Amino acid sequence: MLSENIYKLVQYGIDTGLTPECERNYTVNLLLDLFKEDAYVPPEEVPATTSDGSAADLEEILRPLLDEAVQRGIISDSIAHRDLFDAKLMNCLVPRPAQVQKEFRERYKNSPKEATDYFYRLSQDSDYIRRYRIKKDRKWVTESVYGDIDITINLSKPEKDPKAIAAAKNAKSASYPKCQLCAENEGYAGRADYPARENHRIIPLTLNNSPWGFQYSPYVYYNEHCIVFNKKHTPMKIDRETFVKLFDFIKLFPHYFIGSNADLPIVGGSILSHDHFQGGNYTFAMAKAPIEIPVIIPNYEDVEAGIVKWPLSVLRIRHKDEKRLIELAVHILDVWRGYTDAAAFVFAETDGEPHNTITPIARKRGGLFELDLTLRNNITTEEHPLGVYHPHARYHHIKKENIGLIEVMGLAVLPSRLKEELELLENYILEGKDVASDERIEKHAAWVAGFLPKYERIDRENITEILQREVGIVFTHVLEDAGVYKCTEEGRKAFMRFIETL
């Protein structure tokens, strides 16, 4: 059976274009070596394969090979070690980095989109992006006064494996790679507490005359979700160079957007230690939101500008010359960094700790460059110890984590625990049981009691839709919490006070 399963995997590589036919024997031999096997007998009857080049059956192709590795004692039977080994298997099929880079450059000569289409497909076919796990994510759209909000419950990241956690405790601490965004991850075999990246490939880029890398996120929260990272392990920082790099990327890939998390805790991303951006081929609700209040900024009268109709505080600027946007963005950032308005509870710093920063998102629309500047503030109080402009405690049953770049733009990435909790809530509501009686969902009791009276009919046919709608409403409120200036008359007046200082 090993020979037949190896055959299937190699055939998958050939069908998807990862492996050229002339490398069939070479690839078979690489795989045999991983299994410490000397003999190979090709199947007399050719097994069914993915002749259409899709990856629909890849999980089924890999499973018996991973089982074989466990049986032979090559790996232990744990999620972590199976993931490490399947990356090792797939690396036997994937072209070397130089080959991928060359193919990308050749396709880029035809068009940037052809190049990214190729690289995105390769990142999926190579199983770096595990499509069969991404499909498990729950996704829906919620209507709001700000437009359609995307909601996802992230199920594609594997759960923490108890065996791996135990093994990691006994393992020597390692500092290589320094983080999961470092260039050194390309080809890294991984370890019990660190994901394998042997089937990972990176495209080198030059942004602002410095070396950067381009890759896709293995978890793909939206279409062609890419990560662009500094080749140096250096902390996140929002400054003039940030805006230059964002537009350098847009000029290379005008069909993508690109944005940066803020550079302060609470309002920043999950990895502040490594300078990076996120982008992709997707139009978020925020990008669709119109300018609600046009504004004119002195000395930049030629730049179209305005406050966006969005729960977070966003100033959009547009111009055909990206250099004008960079100059204005630097001006806005500099003023915002030092801006205090006690009446609006905006403080530039307290006890020497800075609070103001910006989450920027760049794109090209038609013949104009566009930059959204989201004003952020990370101040905390006794009432809101996790952040005043952060999900408030009454919404923590749905969302407690930071509001980073992706969510700023209108896509909720909610914790995997909600899958089970929402399924339990459906049953409890339909059966009329007390939600507070179950410790797994008691945190949702007040929320459920609040929205149930809104619905005359709740049954098996509409309960899922109702819960999804209500989760979306909560996330919309979470975004409003994160807005420094609220979408009220008072909030707009306070926002304009800041605009007037520009």
Side-chain angles (χ1 to χ4, degrees):
M1 287 299 293
L2 177 61
S3 291
E4 181 175 315
N5 290 326
I6 285 178
Y7 179 92
K8 287 181 179 179
L9 183 59
V10 174
Q11 189 61 47
Y12 164 85
I14 292 170
D15 290 342
T16 55
L18 290 173
T19 309
E21 175 65 44
C22 65
E23 292 184 8
R24 180 187 290 272
N25 291 336
Y26 174 79
T27 307
V28 166
N29 289 330
L30 289 177
L31 292 166
L32 287 173
D33 182 57
L34 291 183
F35 286 95
K36 306 184 188 310
E37 178 61 59
D38 299 324
Y40 175 72
V41 181
E44 293 183 6
E45 294 186 14
V46 176
T49 60
T50 54
S51 58
D52 63 348
S54 75
D57 300 325
L58 181 56
E59 186 177 21
E60 296 304 315
I61 293 172
L62 288 171
R63 183 179 291 112
L65 289 167
L66 297 172
D67 291 343
E68 182 78 23
V70 170
Q71 292 168 12
R72 292 184 177 221
I74 298 170
I75 61 172
S76 64
D77 192 12
S78 69
I79 297 171
H81 286 97
R82 290 171 78 95
D83 280 0
L84 293 174
F85 195 74
D86 74 14
K88 197 177 294 293
L89 293 173
M90 293 306 299
N91 188 45
C92 295
L93 278 62
V94 183
R96 300 269 290 190
Q99 294 171 279
V100 174
Q101 293 170 25
K102 180 180 178 181
E103 184 69 19
F104 185 90
R105 289 193 297 268
E106 289 300 315
R107 291 174 180 261
Y108 188 89
K109 291 176 182 177
N110 293 329
S111 77
K113 187 177 185 305
E114 182 178 327
T116 55
D117 284 350
Y118 155 76
F119 189 42
Y120 188 54
R121 179 63 181 265
L122 179 136
S123 299
Q124 294 174 311
D125 290 342
S126 67
D127 207 34
Y128 168 69
I129 297 172
R130 290 183 165 96
R131 279 182 281 206
Y132 45 85
R133 287 185 181 165
I134 303 297
K135 288 180 180 178
K136 297 176 183 178
D137 288 350
R138 296 285 182 87
K139 299 182 179 182
W140 66 91
V141 175
T142 294
E143 293 181 356
S144 81
V145 296
Y146 309 105
D148 289 342
I149 304 293
D150 293 311
I151 310 292
T152 66
I153 296 178
N154 172 41
L155 301 172
S156 55
K157 285 187 179 180
E159 295 293 329
K160 292 290 185 180
D161 187 338
K163 294 179 182 178
I165 293 172
K169 287 182 179 178
N170 298 323
K172 293 181 180 179
S173 61
S175 58
Y176 177 87
K178 291 180 180 178
C179 79
Q180 292 186 29
L181 291 178
C182 286
E184 290 81 4
N185 282 280
E186 189 175 37
Y188 186 61
R191 49 186 190 266
D193 63 342
Y194 197 97
R197 291 291 182 254
E198 286 182 278
N199 53 342
H200 174 40
R201 299 294 182 263
I202 295 169
I203 302 299
L205 299 178
T206 299
L207 302 180
N208 193 30
N209 300 313
S210 60
W212 282 60
F214 170 72
Q215 66 180 63
Y216 288 102
S217 164
Y219 306 113
V220 192
Y221 293 135
Y222 51 86
N223 187 49
E224 296 176 51
H225 178 185
C226 69
I227 298 173
V228 183
F229 61 94
N230 197 319
K231 284 289 186 73
K232 292 182 179 179
H233 183 77
T234 187
M236 294 280 293
K237 187 178 181 181
I238 304 296
D239 57 13
R240 173 186 292 273
E241 291 188 357
T242 302
F243 303 127
V244 173
K245 292 166 187 170
L246 291 177
F247 282 114
D248 277 357
F249 180 88
I250 290 298
K251 286 185 286 185
L252 288 171
F253 304 102
H255 59 300
Y256 274 13
F257 80 90
I258 189 78
S260 175
N261 269 300
D263 55 356
L264 293 178
I266 297 178
V267 296
S270 58
I271 304 179
L272 292 176
S273 62
H274 195 127
D275 196 14
H276 70 285
F277 308 138
Q278 294 182 79
N281 189 6
Y282 191 71
T283 303
F284 287 87
M286 189 177 82
K288 300 175 186 176
I291 287 180
E292 181 180 15
I293 304 175
V295 300
I296 297 174
I297 300 173
N299 300 317
Y300 296 93
E301 290 83 0
D302 57 318
V303 178
E304 181 184 347
I307 296 172
V308 178
K309 185 182 179 181
W310 191 244
L312 284 97
S313 305
V314 182
L315 183 61
R316 178 172 295 159
I317 55 177
R318 307 178 75 210
H319 200 278
K320 62 182 178 181
D321 182 359
E322 82 282 1
K323 294 183 181 63
R324 289 292 286 160
L325 297 186
I326 292 168
E327 293 302 318
L328 178 52
V330 171
H331 174 56
I332 293 169
L333 175 63
D334 287 345
V335 174
W336 178 244
R337 291 274 196 202
Y339 183 74
T340 290
D341 181 353
F345 205 78
V346 174
F347 297 92
E349 58 87 22
T350 55
D351 299 324
E353 178 187 351
H355 296 306
N356 290 347
T357 186
I358 280 177
T359 298
I361 302 102
R363 63 183 76 90
K364 192 170 187 182
R365 187 132 48 181
L368 298 178
F369 290 101
E370 189 170 275
L371 186 63
D372 283 350
L373 301 171
T374 310
L375 307 182
R376 312 299 303 275
N377 181 288
N378 75 346
I379 196 169
T380 61
T381 62
E382 288 187 8
E383 182 185 1
H384 301 294
L386 298 181
V388 172
Y389 305 110
H390 176 87
H392 289 179
R394 65 184 178 274
Y395 302 129
H396 286 180
H397 64 103
I398 297 294
K399 177 69 175 177
K400 185 178 182 180
E401 299 79 12
N402 293 357
I403 300 302
L405 171 67
I406 294 172
E407 288 162 321
V408 163
M409 295 184 292
L411 190 157
V413 182
L414 302 180
S416 60
R417 62 174 171 81
L418 282 173
K419 175 182 180 293
E420 179 188 11
E421 291 172 10
L422 291 177
E423 290 171 351
L424 283 169
L425 283 175
E426 287 190 10
N427 293 328
Y428 271 65
I429 291 170
L430 292 174
E431 296 171 13
K433 295 164 67 176
D434 181 10
V435 172
S437 67
D438 190 322
E439 63 180 9
R440 293 172 295 178
I441 54 174
E442 62 180 341
K443 66 173 85 64
H444 298 297
W447 171 55
V448 171
F451 72 69
L452 282 183
K454 291 164 52 178
Y455 300 94
E456 294 182 4
R457 179 182 65 87
I458 299 178
D459 54 31
R460 185 65 64 182
E461 291 183 1
N462 68 1
I463 184 64
T464 299
E465 180 184 348
I466 287 172
L467 282 172
Q468 288 182 346
R469 181 185 305 124
E470 293 298 327
V471 167
I473 291 171
V474 169
F475 182 70
T476 302
H477 291 321
V478 162
L479 292 182
E480 291 172 336
D481 283 349
V484 176
Y485 299 116
K486 308 310 176 188
C487 297
T488 61
E489 182 179 355
E490 182 182 357
R492 286 298 182 242
K493 287 180 179 178
F495 202 156
M496 288 303 298
R497 287 201 297 273
F498 167 67
I499 299 294
E500 287 165 5
T501 67
L502 298 174

